[in-house]
Amino acid sequence: MAPHYDIAVVGYGPTGLAAASLLGRLGHRVVVCERWPALYGLPRLTHIDDETARTVQAAGDADDALRDSSPCEYLWVNGKGETLVRIPANPDGPMGYPDHISMYQPDVEHAIDKRLRGYGTVDVRQGWAVTGLDQDDDGVTLRLCGWNAETSCADGPRDEVLARYVIAADGSRSGVRDLLGVGREDLGFNEQWVNIDTEWLRPQPPEFAYGTQYCDPARGHMTINIGTTRQRFEFALLPDESREEMTAPETAWRLLRDYHDLGPDDVRITRQLVYGFEARIATRWRTGRVFLAGDAAHTMPPYLGQGACSGLRDATNLAWKLHLVLGGLAPEDLLDTYESERRPHVTALTHMAIGLGKVANTHDVEAAAARDAAFFAGKVPPPPPFPPLAGGVLRPDGDAPVGTLTPQGRVRLADGRTGRFDDLTGYGFTLVTTEDPTTALGPDRLARLTRLGCTMVALDTVDDLDGRHHEYLQRLGAVAYLARPDFVLFGAAADGADLGALVDDLDDALSGTAKAVV
């Protein structure tokens, strides 16, 4: 009989790693199916934001994961090097991390991999490709085949695993998505750029210690630091340039010399390939018991730095909802709110990334001059803020900005332990108050929160070292706020009398009284 798991995760990139680790942390039996025999070991992504860093913190050792990282400033310049937009680096964002982080992806993946292997509930099966699936009312059977890395085909031994649910995080060319017959909507952005990753052979020059997007109509190109010892360079392919030509080593050295005056004495090339920048969203993210996540569900151009961040948001959204359903604490309908919450959010970010991509890929000289003039005259509005979640598991009505993100500061507990808020309070729902909540809530509500694994933090019993949580409640005009495990504000209580109603509203939302809004 095939081994039985709570969740099977297909794909072991950032999204799959985070999903497997969070679910393993919650005590579930998880199997990971990944065709490649080892972690990729090279950086595909180079940027995360503070929200994503907080997810990394929940899934692994954040200090280990980000040991070669730095706050990242971004410049957008025209073909003459004149600044169009400057996005400064904020070293201390509201989540307790820099709001833009240049990082080395293998460090992040190794830190999460190390953490999840220690739970004892996660079975990582690397070197196995998913070649088929069947599902019924009880679960999903995945048919596996050993993957031959040398021939890039599934021609090894056969096996099967059975899971109650499946998260397909197997990339933009998702085999699971194909098995399900799910199509993708093409949002009309398709560009090809060559990626050249390097390691510095000398101290990183200061002009490379941040990201620069060159919006040059002759050839768009960019560079970004990968932590402090590595550098990425990217160049748009011109109409007469082939993939084969642009992946030749001599082409890389020519581009590095012509655009940045760099040669073999300055850097060592570690990776060179052509990427297709696209914007596509799967037509549905759930098929029965199988959920698409990360690039399997959506891809976007890299100009906003939100592709991998969006995949990590998928993982955090799915993990806690699957946990409640698997534990009998919420009906299965709760899982429908995954797509209804995540699709509008990622679609909005994709359109923002497309807009930035059009700025970076303006090839007409006159159009580029008009673009520059608009920026210099201050006629280009700043990009809109990231949208909040709308509908789904959020408190209805009320004045609090539900669906936005809650902060994380440093705190000191009564026993003297000091650290990041999440590390000391755990992973799950969190009720933060300025007073002891036991009297206002009563035994029944307290018992409901305990069953949900909710941590209650009365700020008068801890030292809020950064003042971040007190300040947040003051901005809300509230005495308490209730955060979901994915750091999203469920709702806030205006006073002690409203605190009980806040918990009741959470119970209603999880039991299906509050319906998702698409």
Side-chain angles (χ1 to χ4, degrees):
M1 177 180 289
H4 192 286
Y5 298 89
D6 295 325
I7 304 103
V9 176
V10 183
Y12 206 41
T15 301
L17 277 157
S21 183
L22 295 175
L23 287 160
R25 179 174 180 173
L26 292 167
H28 295 288
R29 293 196 66 211
V30 181
V31 61
V32 177
C33 305
E34 166 58 56
R35 64 178 179 169
W36 296 107
L39 294 173
Y40 186 56
L42 291 171
R44 286 162 292 189
L45 65 104
T46 60
H47 162 273
I48 59 174
D49 58 20
D50 55 342
E51 178 188 358
T52 308
R54 194 173 179 184
T55 297
V56 172
Q57 176 189 340
D61 183 330
D63 293 323
D64 184 29
L66 301 176
R67 63 183 183 271
D68 185 15
S69 68
S70 60
C72 193
E73 175 180 328
Y74 288 91
L75 288 179
W76 286 59
V77 303
N78 63 12
K80 300 176 182 178
E82 299 167 322
T83 299
L84 303 177
V85 179
R86 175 179 177 268
I87 303 173
N90 176 11
D92 188 19
M95 297 285 188
Y97 296 93
D99 54 7
H100 295 290
I101 303 171
S102 164
M103 38 63 71
Y104 186 53
Q105 180 181 348
D107 290 345
V108 174
E109 293 187 346
H110 281 290
I112 299 176
D113 176 71
K114 181 179 179 180
R115 170 73 64 82
L116 68 83
R117 290 179 186 270
Y119 292 132
T121 61
V122 183
D123 180 8
V124 181
R125 304 194 61 174
Q126 292 167 297
W128 290 90
V130 174
T131 57
L133 66 83
D134 299 294
Q135 59 177 311
D136 55 28
D137 292 341
D138 297 322
V140 184
T141 298
L142 294 178
R143 294 189 292 278
L144 310 180
C145 186
W147 182 258
N148 188 326
E150 293 183 359
T151 61
S152 294
C153 63
D155 58 6
R158 308 280 172 168
D159 203 354
E160 290 185 349
V161 296
L162 177 64
R164 291 181 63 184
Y165 295 97
V166 172
I167 299 174
D170 52 340
S172 61
R173 293 180 288 183
S174 168
V176 174
R177 189 184 62 230
D178 290 342
L179 289 170
L180 296 171
V182 176
R184 293 192 294 168
E185 179 187 3
D186 188 340
L187 300 184
F189 186 95
N190 295 280
E191 295 281 344
Q192 287 195 320
W193 286 51
V194 62
N195 174 107
I196 304 168
D197 282 345
T198 66
E199 292 181 348
W200 286 103
L201 299 177
R202 58 186 176 89
Q204 183 186 61
E207 65 267 26
F208 291 103
Y210 48 85
T212 304
Q213 180 73 53
Y214 295 88
C215 307
D216 186 348
R219 185 199 297 270
H221 59 105
M222 65 86 65
T223 181
I224 185 172
N225 58 315
I226 306 175
T228 57
T229 60
R230 302 173 179 90
Q231 199 79 23
R232 169 165 294 174
F233 301 90
E234 291 182 339
F235 301 87
L237 268 65
L238 302 181
D240 60 345
E241 292 175 334
S242 68
R243 180 181 293 263
E244 291 74 22
E245 174 189 358
M246 298 304 285
T247 52
E250 57 270 22
T251 300
W253 290 119
R254 174 174 57 81
L255 292 170
L256 292 176
R257 182 191 67 243
D258 292 349
Y259 287 88
H260 298 289
D261 196 24
L262 295 174
D265 293 335
D266 302 298
V267 295
R268 179 173 70 89
I269 295 175
T270 59
R271 182 169 174 257
Q272 180 182 353
L273 75 167
V274 171
Y275 267 120
F277 296 159
E278 63 177 28
R280 298 180 182 180
I281 300 177
T283 55
R284 66 177 186 273
W285 295 15
R286 178 183 186 182
T287 303
R289 292 176 170 269
V290 183
F291 300 85
L292 302 180
D295 283 357
H298 47 77
T299 56
M300 69 177 72
Y303 306 101
L304 196 62
Q306 285 296 309
C309 297
S310 295
L312 272 289
R313 292 188 190 100
D314 295 344
T316 59
N317 192 294
L318 263 178
W320 69 265
K321 292 175 180 177
L322 283 167
H323 170 64
L324 295 186
V325 171
L326 288 164
L329 297 170
E332 192 172 14
D333 289 349
L334 175 66
L335 300 176
D336 289 331
T337 66
Y338 163 61
E339 182 174 351
S340 69
E341 290 183 353
R342 291 292 305 126
R343 176 186 285 275
H345 190 274
V346 79
T347 299
L349 295 189
T350 301
H351 283 293
M352 291 168 64
I354 290 172
L356 290 172
K358 291 179 178 177
V359 172
N361 290 280
T362 301
H363 305 300
D364 181 86
V365 174
E366 293 183 359
R371 174 203 63 195
D372 297 349
F375 273 104
F376 297 149
K379 296 180 179 179
V380 179
F386 285 9
L389 297 188
V393 186
L394 301 172
R395 191 183 197 191
D397 305 320
D399 296 326
V402 299
T404 59
L405 295 170
T406 57
Q408 173 182 225
R410 295 177 304 112
V411 295
R412 179 184 295 113
L413 303 185
D415 61 9
R417 288 182 296 151
T418 300
R420 299 184 183 102
F421 183 85
D422 294 353
D423 288 337
L424 299 179
T425 59
Y427 173 62
F429 286 95
T430 308
L431 179 65
V432 180
T433 76
T434 56
E435 55 192 45
D436 184 351
T438 56
T439 301
L441 293 179
D444 289 343
R445 293 189 179 103
L446 289 172
R448 295 207 303 265
L449 290 178
T450 298
R451 285 195 298 273
L452 289 173
C454 180
T455 299
M456 289 168 280
V457 179
L459 289 178
D460 61 355
T461 66
V462 303
D463 290 333
D464 185 11
L465 297 176
D466 302 319
R468 189 161 287 167
H469 303 280
H470 279 100
E471 292 171 4
Y472 182 64
L473 281 170
Q474 290 174 0
R475 291 201 305 272
L476 294 177
V479 300
Y481 71 86
L482 183 55
R484 305 183 340 176
D486 51 2
F487 327 126
V488 171
L489 177 65
F490 170 79
D495 51 40
D498 190 31
L499 188 54
L502 176 64
V503 176
D504 292 342
D505 285 343
L506 175 63
D507 198 45
D508 289 343
L510 295 176
S511 65
T513 301
K515 300 299 183 182
V517 177
V518 181

